[in-house]
Amino acid sequence: ETKMELRELGRTGLKLSLVGFGASPLGNVFGSVSEQQANASVRLAFQSGINFFDTSPYYGSTLSEKVLGKALKALNVPRSEYIVATKCGRYEDGFDFSAERVTRSIDESLERLQLDYVDILQCHDIEFGSLDQIVNETIPALQKLKEAGKTRFIGITGLPLGIFTYVLDRVPPGTLDVILSYCHHSINDSTLEDIVPYLKSKGVGIISASPLAMGLLTEAGPPEWHPASPELKSVCKAAATSCKEKGKNISKLAVQYSLLNKEITSVLVGMRSVEQVEENVAAAKELAASGIDEEALSEVGAILKPVKNQSWPSGIQ
């Protein structure tokens, strides 16, 4: 039985499972999930060595936090055995990065999660706010919440990679503990790797989310609202079809690819069913035991080459 690998998160001392449990689907954002299904998924993930669970008040308008809180409580294990991250600043009714709102936000999140503290509190999708407000007002407010013991560590999340360097260059060293990047460390877009040395020099832990590029790297394809260009969507579809014709699964390959970089502590994958947990755990174990399918990887890489590192705009900057 291969144990799920744990990796250290920057300078925090936290050790996160290589695969993290993305809890946005527990907020019914990809279809409805029963409480029983949610509890079973979280339980199996925990039993399989996944110790990192990530949510946000924005996911399912607070539903994800409530459902995850219940599921973690049902595990009936010591609080120190799992690591919980939530976010602040993005809500169903929009963005509010004011000190007053994020301070109120953590109390609301703790109540929904039924916890006394979270391990990581992150400012959610900061490219939709004023980055100078994030630097001068939001982050100092998060530091106070850290001092008050409501969160152990603090971070920022978003899509454009430039937001991380902008903020980290303007706050005192050691202020931020972690960044969460999404859709920039997958087979079609590996640009997160370009700023890894910079992030390491700042002592910041790195979490990457959405190895499936929000559904681009799946047989079913992305949801209707996906912001990728028609070209990117069609090339990813061609790659998925090619994999399927050869009896391979593009999603498994994509998850495994994302797990390869040891500098990235944990890869968050959204999960809403026991089957999805089983698939992701199996992909990680297979990777540890026998490595990645290099032939499939190079074939998919060749198909994706025309759109390699193509992203989409996000935010107001």
Side-chain angles (χ1 to χ4, degrees):
E1 182 77 350
T2 357
K3 270 263 189 272
M4 174 78 64
E5 185 186 338
L6 300 177
R7 291 180 183 169
E8 292 201 10
L9 181 66
R11 296 178 185 158
T12 64
L14 294 179
K15 289 187 171 175
L16 273 54
S17 51
L18 173 62
V19 174
F21 189 106
S24 73
L26 301 186
N28 293 346
V29 295
F30 300 102
S32 88
V33 180
S34 70
E35 191 176 320
Q36 188 187 358
Q37 201 181 340
N39 287 2
S41 306
V42 167
R43 179 171 297 277
L44 180 64
F46 181 75
Q47 288 168 343
S48 307
I50 293 175
N51 71 350
F52 176 45
F53 298 85
D54 174 271
T55 183
S56 163
Y58 174 65
Y59 302 149
S61 335
T62 75
L63 184 62
S64 170
E65 286 186 324
K66 290 173 192 154
V67 172
L68 179 63
K70 276 186 185 171
L72 290 172
K73 200 174 180 91
L75 291 176
N76 211 12
V77 299
R79 170 68 181 88
S80 57
E81 289 193 19
Y82 50 83
I83 292 163
V84 179
T86 193
K87 308 185 184 77
C88 60
R90 182 169 201 179
Y91 310 97
E92 185 191 17
D93 58 1
F95 294 87
D96 187 344
F97 295 108
S98 66
E100 187 275 325
R101 183 68 187 99
V102 302
T103 303
R104 200 169 79 235
S105 188
I106 185 61
D107 290 331
E108 295 165 357
S109 289
L110 291 174
E111 192 175 320
R112 287 189 287 263
L113 287 161
Q114 303 181 58
L115 298 174
D116 299 326
Y117 66 91
V118 291
D119 299 280
I120 306 167
L121 177 62
Q122 308 168 97
C123 232
H124 197 175
D125 290 343
I126 60 171
E127 69 268 27
F128 288 92
S130 148
L131 294 184
D132 293 324
Q133 181 190 26
I134 301 291
V135 168
N136 300 315
E137 181 181 350
T138 321
I139 290 171
L142 295 192
Q143 285 181 287
K144 285 184 181 156
L145 296 174
K146 187 176 171 179
E147 286 156 20
K150 292 182 181 186
T151 183
R152 293 169 68 195
F153 302 103
I154 60 174
I156 52 178
T157 88
L159 183 72
L161 295 172
I163 61 177
F164 300 122
T165 50
Y166 185 94
V167 170
L168 284 163
D169 282 343
R170 286 164 179 77
V171 296
T175 303
L176 286 177
D177 304 299
V178 57
I179 66 105
L180 190 162
S181 163
Y182 70 98
C183 290
H184 286 307
H185 191 246
S186 45
I187 304 180
N188 61 304
D189 182 338
S190 56
T191 48
L192 176 60
E193 296 191 353
D194 300 341
I195 66 163
V196 164
Y198 167 87
L199 294 168
K200 287 195 75 181
S201 76
K202 296 282 187 182
V204 175
I206 308 167
I207 296 165
S208 179
S210 204
L212 307 182
M214 302 194 310
L216 286 173
L217 303 175
T218 60
E219 285 176 6
E224 276 297 301
W225 49 260
H226 199 292
S229 69
E231 184 197 13
L232 181 52
K233 285 178 184 172
S234 92
V235 174
C236 287
K237 187 178 179 181
T241 305
S242 166
C243 268
K244 194 176 180 181
E245 283 166 359
K246 296 186 171 75
K248 311 276 171 79
N249 182 320
I250 194 161
S251 298
K252 180 174 89 168
L253 190 70
V255 168
Q256 290 180 331
Y257 173 83
S258 296
L259 301 176
L260 284 174
N261 190 329
K262 302 252 186 238
E263 309 288 0
I264 291 164
T265 300
S266 187
V267 175
L268 282 166
V269 193
M271 302 186 225
R272 47 174 281 202
S273 66
V274 163
E275 294 72 35
Q276 289 180 348
V277 174
E278 285 171 343
E279 281 169 18
N280 292 314
V281 169
K285 288 188 171 173
E286 183 189 293
L287 183 68
S290 51
I292 198 160
D293 183 336
E294 294 288 354
E295 188 188 356
L297 188 62
S298 72
E299 285 171 3
V300 167
I303 296 170
L304 293 172
K305 199 173 176 200
V307 293
K308 178 76 172 169
N309 296 338
Q310 188 187 110
S311 188
W312 47 85
S314 176
I316 55 172
Q317 307 307 321

